[in-house]
Amino acid sequence: MATVDPITFEVIRNSLIHTAAEMKTIVMRTAYSTLWRESGDLSCGILTTRGEVVAQGPEDLPVHLTSMPFSLQGALRRIPLETIEPGDVLFHNDPRWGNNHLPDCLMAKPVFVDGQIIAFTAVRGHWTDIGGSGPGSYTTVTRELIQEGLCIPPIKIYKRGELDMELVDFIMANVRGTEQRMADMRSQFAGCVSGERKIFELARRYGADVLTQSMEDLLDYSERMTRKEIEQIPDGTYHAVDFSDGDGVTDKPIRIEVTVTIKGSDVTVDFTGSSPQVIGGMNAPIAVTASAAQYAIKAMADPWNPANSGSYRPVRIIAPEGSVANPRPGAAVVGANHETGNVMVDAIFAALSAAAPERVKAPAAASAVVVVFGGEDRRPGRAGRTFIYNEPHGASWGARLDKDGINGMRCGLGNTGNHAVEIVETEYPVRIRSYGLVPDAGGPGRARGGLPVQRVYEVLSECLVTLVAERSRIAPPGLLGGQPGGLARYVLNPGTDREQVLFSKTLPLELAAGDVLLVQAGGGGGMGPAAERSPDRVREDLANGYVTPAHAAKEYGVTP
Amino acid sequence: MQIGIDIGGTFTDLVLLAEQGVTVLKVPSTPANPTASAVEGLRQLRDEYGVDLSQVELICHGTTVATNTLIERTGARTALITTAGFRDLLEIGEMKRHAEALYNIQYQRPEPLIPRARIFEVAERVTVGGQVLQPLDRGAVQALGARLRELEVEAVAVCLLFSFAFPDHEQAVREILQAELPDAVFYLSSEICPVIHEYRRLTTTCISAYVGPKVRQYLNRMRTSLAEFGADDRLYIMQSNGGITSPALAWDAPGTLVLSGPAGGVTYCHHLGESLGLPNLLSFDMGGTSCDVSMVHGSQPVETTGKRVEGLPLHLPSIDIVTIGAGGGSLAWVDEGGALRVGPRSAGADPGPVCYGRGGTQPTVTDINLLGGVLNPERRLGGKVALNAELARQALREKIATPLGLAPEEAVAGIMRIVNNHMAVATRMVSVNQGLDPRDFALVAFGGGGPCHVTYVAEELGIPWVVVPAYPGLTSAYGLIIAGVKHDISRTWMRPMATLDPADLAAVLGEMEAHGREAVTRIGVAPESLQFQRTIEMRYTGQNYNIDVPLAEAAPDRTALDRLVESFHQQHFTLYGFQVPTAAVEIVNLRVRTLAPPAVAHGGPGGPGGAFDTRTATPAATRPGLTPTGEQVTYGIYNRDRLAAGDVITGPAIVEQTDTTTVVPGGWLGTVEPGGNILIGKEVWRGGNR
């Protein structure tokens, strides 16, 4: 086995990270769906033949990357390495084979050097539609996985360099917006190829053995870095419980219980005590549960170093089979990715607030607040074209020990951007009436929770809308004496006689032209007692309109 | 006669170009009052060189005032006015976390340019097609006046939804409020950046308003200072797009000055490529803390509208400069995981590298170059600073070699390789992101540090030629003189290509040309000298990122449109590796650039080459040194001042001059061409147009 000197190691490390970034640039610039090109709901990675992520794009989604190993390892269980030939490309989306949920489709291209696979380049993207019961394939109000859309177990979508059009036609016949899906798939492939080219170059330059050894060293290195930080957190067993609103099939809250044990540089995250698996799509496949735990520990312990699978090695997961944290195969799962998963993240931070309060953040929106509109675009010149408009909103940070929560910024497992208002109104029969922060919705505390975002839509033609969100029943808790953040609100036709308050998860609902939908995520929880907040900071918040005079008087006892 | 003035952090460079030749001058900068050093330089030109400054045709200046105002957050008390319901667009931004905040839950957002307390909404609404859904509430706008006065607002940014399609409401807001706030300056998004995508338009307008008053004040002061020399009406300013403009136009669009500082160097590089017959260049400007990489392709500086400053999109055409944290002061360090890293932290000017003996303890790239025999321990860096190799050696041993168990020589060579690789990766990003192969380029090195490293970068990327200009320290100032006037106008004009009537496109381009002509002739440029460049931003219908496609014709016909679509497909292929000939293509934005050629027709440094005889030069001395691969070599040492046209230097060699040190590695040859530039390649340089 080759040994790699520290200089070559550093050079290869730097090159691998840039390679993943280049891959994402290529995919975003060529994709058609707004979810990719505007929001960047996709991630790129370079993986070892064991399916460990070595390098990822610098702004990628944590949930895509932490779950990517499960997904590729699943694919390799069905299609063993030795059966893969040059030019083959793997593709799948099936949670029964390690994937997180159906919309996130994995494309992975093996990189062959001298007849041997030395790595995979992979692009994981959230397809705007994957079939199933409504446009955007995004309702948790289902009873089983196959209602959620087309399940694609691991397949070779390219065989020896040839795109298998039979498979592609079959897939395209089962999803909405075929032209866009084709274009997005092409972008995924372009991303994989650009990564492959760069890996070739590195292998040619340094030798395949040096390159693969460097990849192994890089994983070990990240593991070392993260372990050093975990050692700073006091040993002990820490516990917390948080709740999801429920799956929408019933309105029964889902209990997320975590027990985190820190011992030296090892962490065990145990979900025993969490709810049994539920009927609707809120069950977290083990890939998602593991992602939540791994992300939370990485964020607390070692947020600075580029993430890879090595950083996740110190974390061991216990999740009882048949629970919401590890459902049996075939369970509905679509919303767990960023709903159940984000509640898990909040619960882990809450548990560890007793151990290292300066490293955590209070709970917040715990949701991607996904709103999907779909139907036919009846505007002049659009000829009734099918549209699917899927935009995530979840946006507020809980407070930190000595810092307020950030207003209107994504947190947790997801990290997609918003869509520009002018782009939305150009592309879709939707008008945005307002888009802004919600005063008083940040949980009071010595450090205030972040303000969530509220968006009010008016639809201009009849269409279906589906909601997958959180925190409308149970507010994001505060920590260490801080108050909860504001409850989320999802309201149809607010302030009219047709007003209807929605549960945070819905079936595809029929809207008529002119209907209005208000979407407001949960606010960030506060940290520390509100009475300890400095009156100057309250007055600053008053000047900026982050709190109203009435709220300042009631929660902080401060008058302007 | 023309003068270029480049005010840097340490030195202010002046270049005077006259019929008789070139005069260069360096004076210490005065950061507290930047105009003072410029005035001092001009006085020296007048008093010591006997230059009659009232005869100067053009005094051109590259300034970092806009950039520094942003970085230091010392801009105007700015207010922002938005459409009702959209007060928080600036704060929410793109909503996602950027790389530095992805896992860091203790992250803090930077101070906003405009706090929420100074952001106000006005009732009005316009639709996609530019139709008024809700008229502007003029009374409410009027009522805002008192509040803005109370807040002592100096600048007002106005950004309403869809104002690119319907600017009237923004204009009305200005009209009403200007009467209320006679001293405030107003910037309308429909004038600053009239293109679709409210967030980019908003940030570009806010940046402009935030830096606007400072820029005005600065340019006024500069102009007043020039009155002493009878040249106050001869002042021009470099813009981010690599063209110059008058202070009057810069006041109206101060956002165009954000890259004014580095743009001169890129313009020089462009000129150098023309004179040497090298159409494709990557320029490397390496200073103390960072390295700026930019590109000239097909004899055109590569531009972008996707620039970010302080994390905010600046949606104006600007030279595409990628900055990496690798400079002479970049620190080498061993991290907690036992990896050897270089940068991005820097020793800065204070304490500076260990060898400066000012208290630095962590080795820097400059220290490594000293220990590797690249820098001469006997010489004074920049003519001023004495170097202490012993201190550097000690720091290397303690901080790097011992912890990693490496011999000192291995550590020196390793750090050199890492720095060179950082630069190579950045250079790759610049070219590969544009779908271009770096091997088709030549590298140009300027700044104090560039020439030490650049040939190794070339070697790593397979680049055949490296150019070290005659005066690497003066390229920016010289670039200012040879840049012509440029004025950019953009407009969103969304049309499908399939059904486009060429006459409609010709009409709107004609209108934009007329605006450009009007603006540029207003600042005194002769209308008959003007040229126009048209850029059509296109994409496949359904995509989000546009590709800039040039259009040669002022009045395109059907055939010209077909060619336009064909070029779009080709460029898509070059950039992304595929094209879709069957897919629908659309126009998103139009851009028209009005250009006036530079006043300078004659050469200057790096003037035209031609046939010349070559001879092998002999080194003045030798010095032992190390290469990045760890070989012990004996460098031949040459003095740049003693080299003549036609001299050929055989690597491994080092060329020393006051403002930089050039390394010619083993296996490479450096040819001094008649313009005074050194061309480093694997063979002797025989002239251009390769």
Side-chain angles (χ1 to χ4, degrees):
Chain A
M1 187 159 288
T3 55
V4 183
D5 66 87
I7 289 99
T8 306
F9 171 77
E10 174 63 10
V11 167
I12 290 179
R13 189 178 82 103
N14 195 19
S15 304
L16 288 173
I17 292 168
H18 275 90
T19 301
E22 257 179 56
M23 289 168 67
K24 183 154 185 179
T25 304
I26 299 249
V27 184
M28 272 185 81
R29 293 217 174 145
T30 54
Y32 275 38
S33 60
T34 50
L35 192 60
W36 290 20
R37 50 177 234 205
E38 281 275 312
S39 292
D41 193 353
L42 61 104
S43 300
C44 301
I46 296 156
L47 295 91
T48 65
T49 49
R50 290 193 316 280
E52 286 191 288
V53 173
V54 176
Q56 66 178 52
E59 289 183 18
D60 281 352
L61 278 62
V63 70
H64 279 176
L65 278 318
T66 40
S67 61
M68 209 186 265
F70 291 89
S71 197
L72 182 60
Q73 284 156 9
L76 294 176
R77 270 202 309 280
R78 190 178 151 91
I79 306 173
L81 268 185
E82 55 277 13
T83 65
I84 301 174
E85 298 180 81
D88 289 353
V89 175
L90 309 185
F91 190 80
H92 93 109
N93 72 349
D94 195 336
R96 292 168 297 195
W97 292 96
N99 203 38
N100 52 341
H101 67 173
L102 296 179
D104 280 337
C105 295
L106 175 81
M107 187 183 276
K109 193 168 196 315
V111 183
F112 276 88
V113 174
D114 299 331
Q116 289 285 316
I117 300 176
I118 61 162
F120 286 89
T121 59
V123 178
R124 187 85 167 288
H126 182 140
W127 281 32
T128 304
D129 191 279
I130 194 71
S133 68
S137 321
Y138 233 75
T139 176
T140 65
V141 189
T142 54
R143 309 188 74 86
E144 54 186 335
L145 179 68
I146 55 175
Q147 269 183 296
E148 294 185 337
L150 181 67
C151 301
I152 310 166
I155 54 171
K156 291 179 179 178
I157 193 104
Y158 281 79
K159 297 185 175 76
R160 294 187 209 157
E162 286 294 318
L163 184 58
D164 186 332
M165 283 313 293
E166 280 188 14
L167 284 174
V168 172
D169 288 345
F170 175 81
I171 293 169
M172 293 302 159
N174 284 283
V175 301
R176 301 175 185 86
T178 312
E179 193 195 335
Q180 267 198 8
R181 299 296 80 70
M182 268 308 287
D184 285 354
M185 197 168 91
R186 208 157 43 215
S187 307
Q188 263 181 301
F189 182 68
C192 288
V193 171
S194 92
E196 180 193 31
R197 220 179 281 145
K198 189 70 191 297
I199 302 287
F200 277 148
E201 255 175 57
L202 288 171
R204 193 167 51 226
R205 171 135 206 188
Y206 297 102
D209 53 341
V210 169
L211 177 59
T212 48
Q213 187 57 45
S214 299
M215 288 163 63
E216 296 299 332
D217 291 355
L218 184 47
L219 293 167
D220 294 344
Y221 161 84
S222 294
E223 179 181 353
R224 273 200 307 280
M225 298 288 275
T226 305
R227 283 193 184 279
K228 269 193 196 306
E229 289 293 328
I230 294 172
E231 280 168 3
Q232 308 295 313
I233 302 171
D235 280 3
T237 298
Y238 308 97
H239 183 259
V241 176
D242 200 343
F243 291 91
S244 150
D245 283 349
D247 62 6
V249 176
T250 75
D251 60 359
K252 206 174 144 213
I254 301 168
R255 179 185 176 87
I256 300 298
E257 179 163 353
V258 287
T259 306
V260 184
T261 304
I262 310 259
K263 195 169 174 216
S265 70
D266 286 304
V267 183
T268 306
V269 182
D270 184 349
F271 290 91
T272 304
S274 299
S275 291
Q277 76 180 64
V278 294
I279 300 168
M282 287 292 284
N283 298 298
I286 194 69
V288 171
T289 301
S291 295
Q294 292 168 342
Y295 162 77
I297 300 303
K298 165 90 181 151
M300 273 191 68
D302 175 30
W304 308 283
N305 290 292
N308 62 38
S309 291
S311 350
Y312 303 135
R313 286 178 185 159
V315 183
R316 194 167 76 94
I317 317 290
I318 299 173
E321 201 188 346
S323 74
V324 73
N326 186 13
R328 282 179 288 275
V333 300
V334 68
N337 212 33
H338 37 69
E339 307 299 308
T340 319
N342 273 326
V343 176
M344 289 171 168
V345 170
D346 278 355
I348 294 167
F349 289 153
L352 288 169
S353 66
E358 73 289 355
R359 287 175 180 262
V360 302
K361 132 178 126 37
S367 171
V369 190
V370 177
V371 184
V372 187
F373 296 90
E376 287 173 7
D377 189 346
R378 300 273 165 77
R379 290 177 299 168
R382 300 299 170 124
R385 206 178 68 190
T386 301
F387 77 93
I388 301 170
Y389 163 36
N390 175 339
E391 185 174 3
H393 291 271
S396 64
W397 284 35
R400 288 75 57 85
L401 189 61
D402 54 356
K403 294 183 279 282
D404 290 343
I406 297 177
N407 303 325
M409 184 183 272
R410 297 293 307 279
C411 65
L413 294 171
N415 189 35
T416 48
N418 55 8
H419 291 33
V421 172
E422 289 171 353
I423 301 290
V424 170
E425 296 194 4
T426 305
E427 301 271 329
Y428 308 114
V430 168
R431 179 170 297 137
I432 294 169
R433 287 192 169 180
S434 65
Y435 182 46
L437 302 172
V438 186
D440 300 342
R446 187 177 51 232
R448 173 179 48 70
L451 272 46
V453 168
Q454 183 191 79
R455 196 170 245 204
V456 180
Y457 299 93
E458 176 187 347
V459 298
L460 304 178
S461 36
E462 62 173 50
C463 61
L464 295 171
V465 67
T466 318
L467 193 63
V468 180
E470 269 302 335
R471 302 288 197 199
S472 68
R473 293 288 172 89
I474 300 155
L479 286 184
L480 307 174
Q483 298 298 305
L487 272 180
R489 295 172 64 214
Y490 310 106
V491 188
L492 261 183
N493 297 311
T496 68
D497 53 0
R498 292 174 300 132
E499 175 170 310
Q500 186 190 346
V501 176
L502 302 175
F503 188 72
S504 54
K505 326 284 186 309
T506 71
L507 280 164
L509 303 174
E510 282 180 42
L511 299 186
D515 275 346
V516 171
L517 174 66
L518 178 152
V519 175
Q520 173 185 326
M527 189 108 126
E532 291 179 12
R533 186 168 179 80
S534 103
D536 285 350
R537 286 175 77 185
V538 179
R539 288 198 186 95
E540 205 177 301
D541 281 353
L542 276 165
N544 281 318
Y546 295 138
V547 298
T548 60
H551 182 87
K554 175 167 172 274
E555 301 293 344
Y556 298 98
V558 173
T559 46
Chain B
M1 209 160 47
Q2 295 89 19
I3 295 174
I5 306 176
D6 179 49
I7 303 182
T10 324
F11 290 107
T12 295
D13 300 325
L14 286 88
V15 171
L16 168 76
L17 190 57
E19 297 293 336
Q20 307 88 312
V22 181
T23 311
V24 296
L25 197 63
K26 237 175 170 44
V27 295
S29 287
T30 46
N33 174 20
T35 47
S37 62
V39 169
E40 174 55 30
L42 291 170
R43 278 189 192 138
Q44 286 185 22
L45 279 182
R46 180 187 63 192
D47 301 341
E48 291 167 30
Y49 294 79
V51 178
D52 179 2
L53 292 169
S54 68
Q55 296 307 305
V56 169
E57 293 140 13
L58 168 146
I59 297 178
C60 190
H61 176 39
T63 172
T64 52
V65 65
T67 322
N68 292 344
T69 301
L70 283 166
I71 294 171
E72 294 158 11
R73 286 290 196 272
T74 50
R77 284 177 68 82
T78 310
L80 166 65
I81 293 175
T82 69
T83 300
F86 297 90
R87 181 183 185 186
D88 296 314
L89 288 178
L90 183 64
E91 181 162 353
I92 298 169
E94 288 144 326
M95 207 169 72
K96 68 174 178 183
R97 333 202 265 293
H98 292 287
E100 67 276 16
L102 187 56
Y103 290 89
N104 182 6
I105 53 177
Q106 304 304 324
Y107 174 77
Q108 283 279 61
R109 248 193 196 140
E111 276 293 298
L113 296 185
I114 306 174
R116 196 170 191 258
R118 286 203 297 268
I119 305 179
F120 299 92
E121 299 183 344
V122 293
E124 69 89 39
R125 187 64 149 92
V126 171
T127 66
V128 179
Q131 281 89 42
V132 176
L133 192 67
Q134 183 187 1
L136 178 69
D137 183 345
R138 304 175 68 97
V141 177
Q142 184 118 33
L144 264 182
R147 183 77 191 117
L148 295 178
R149 273 198 306 275
E150 207 174 282
L151 290 169
E152 296 171 354
V153 162
E154 299 161 298
V156 182
V158 186
C159 182
L160 306 179
L161 288 181
F162 293 105
S163 64
F164 64 89
F166 183 83
D168 307 40
H169 284 175
E170 287 190 356
Q171 289 162 2
V173 168
R174 172 170 59 193
E175 193 185 307
I176 297 166
L177 287 178
Q178 185 77 78
E180 301 282 323
L181 298 137
D183 297 332
V185 281
F186 286 75
Y187 294 93
L188 308 188
S189 79
S190 51
E191 291 173 357
I192 294 290
C193 177
V195 294
I196 188 167
H197 203 297
E198 72 280 357
Y199 180 62
R200 293 173 198 159
R201 201 166 68 244
L202 173 81
T203 51
T204 306
T205 311
C206 290
I207 289 169
S208 303
Y210 186 75
V211 303
K214 268 269 162 101
V215 164
R216 282 185 180 220
Q217 201 183 30
Y218 176 78
L219 294 180
N220 268 333
R221 201 182 312 136
M222 187 61 112
R223 209 155 66 158
T224 314
S225 317
L226 294 185
E228 178 187 335
F229 309 102
D232 51 331
D233 58 345
R234 254 60 60 76
L235 178 64
Y236 285 80
I237 310 299
M238 179 55 101
Q239 307 168 95
S240 314
N241 65 9
I244 59 174
T245 191
S246 74
L249 287 181
W251 286 337
D252 292 340
T256 59
L257 301 190
V258 168
L259 291 177
S260 171
V266 182
T267 306
Y268 175 79
C269 191
H270 174 205
H271 163 85
L272 188 65
E274 301 245 289
S275 67
L276 292 171
L278 293 167
N280 300 333
L281 299 167
L282 284 153
S283 75
F284 246 82
D285 184 356
M286 186 178 181
T289 55
S290 61
C291 180
D292 290 338
V293 183
S294 62
M295 182 160 72
V296 173
H297 181 238
S299 298
Q300 289 298 325
V302 171
E303 298 182 24
T304 175
T305 52
K307 192 77 198 158
R308 275 174 189 274
V309 280
E310 292 292 283
L312 302 172
L314 181 67
H315 201 66
L316 297 170
S318 63
I319 288 177
D320 195 0
I321 296 173
V322 174
T323 301
I324 54 167
S330 292
L331 297 174
W333 52 294
V334 177
D335 72 18
E336 290 196 328
L340 174 57
R341 313 270 291 268
V342 181
R345 286 181 298 167
S346 162
D350 187 32
V354 179
C355 63
Y356 286 12
R358 295 195 200 126
T361 55
Q362 193 76 31
T364 65
V365 171
T366 297
D367 294 310
I368 296 310
N369 280 328
L370 178 63
L371 296 177
V374 171
L375 298 179
N376 183 348
E378 308 299 317
R379 283 173 72 98
R380 288 166 175 265
L381 205 63
K384 298 208 181 302
V385 183
L387 304 178
N388 185 331
E390 192 39 50
L391 286 177
R393 197 167 295 126
Q394 211 177 313
L396 178 84
R397 200 168 42 234
E398 278 171 24
K399 304 281 180 166
I400 311 286
T402 308
L404 288 176
L406 293 174
E409 299 74 33
E410 287 175 312
V412 166
I415 293 166
M416 286 178 171
R417 273 165 63 201
I418 292 172
V419 178
N420 296 341
N421 175 256
H422 275 315
M423 295 185 176
V425 166
T427 311
R428 235 192 88 86
M429 284 291 271
V430 173
S431 52
V432 172
N433 276 358
Q434 302 278 348
L436 301 170
D437 187 333
R439 287 171 295 190
D440 297 333
F441 286 75
L443 284 180
V444 182
F446 43 92
C452 298
H453 300 272
V454 70
T455 308
Y456 292 115
V457 176
E459 189 147 272
E460 186 152 347
L461 294 171
I463 290 175
W465 288 105
V466 168
V467 188
V468 181
Y471 302 99
L474 292 168
T475 48
S476 289
Y478 189 71
L480 295 168
I481 305 175
I482 54 176
V485 169
K486 284 184 190 169
H487 186 74
D488 290 318
I489 295 177
S490 311
R491 186 183 287 190
T492 288
W493 197 73
M494 297 174 81
R495 297 288 187 285
M497 284 307 291
T499 55
L500 179 64
D501 182 346
D504 290 349
L505 179 60
V508 66
L509 288 172
E511 218 175 276
M512 292 170 75
E513 255 178 42
H515 285 167
R517 179 180 291 113
E518 191 271 326
V520 172
T521 48
R522 191 147 41 91
I523 65 170
V525 177
E528 56 279 6
S529 69
L530 296 184
Q531 295 164 14
F532 296 92
Q533 279 174 0
R534 298 157 209 91
T535 303
I536 316 295
E537 294 184 27
M538 303 169 75
R539 64 185 181 192
Y540 287 121
T541 305
Q543 285 181 328
N544 197 33
Y545 289 85
N546 309 330
I547 293 178
D548 294 346
V549 189
L551 174 71
E553 296 82 359
D557 56 9
R558 194 70 245 170
T559 335
L561 292 193
D562 291 344
R563 271 200 305 273
L564 190 67
V565 172
E566 186 45 40
S567 333
F568 167 79
H569 288 304
Q570 273 169 16
Q571 278 181 246
H572 195 278
F573 182 82
T574 312
L575 282 168
Y576 307 127
F578 70 91
Q579 54 177 315
V580 195
T582 52
V585 176
E586 66 186 7
I587 293 179
V588 182
N589 298 320
L590 307 176
R591 299 209 305 263
V592 172
R593 169 168 290 173
T594 308
L595 298 113
V600 185
H602 41 91
F612 56 95
D613 296 327
T614 58
R615 73 202 76 82
T616 303
T618 43
T622 60
R623 186 159 72 228
L626 269 177
T627 69
T629 46
E631 274 173 89
Q632 306 273 359
V633 291
T634 302
Y635 287 120
I637 309 296
Y638 299 79
N639 186 332
R640 181 100 185 231
D641 298 338
R642 306 233 176 88
L643 291 173
D647 280 351
V648 175
I649 299 150
T650 312
I654 283 170
V655 182
E656 295 178 344
Q657 65 192 100
T658 325
D659 53 354
T660 195
T661 301
T662 302
V663 176
V664 181
W668 292 76
L669 298 170
T671 310
V672 183
E673 59 86 52
N677 304 296
I678 301 178
L679 273 292
I680 305 173
K682 293 281 168 98
E683 52 192 288
V684 172
W685 173 258
R686 304 272 176 212
N689 284 323
R690 310 172 52 84

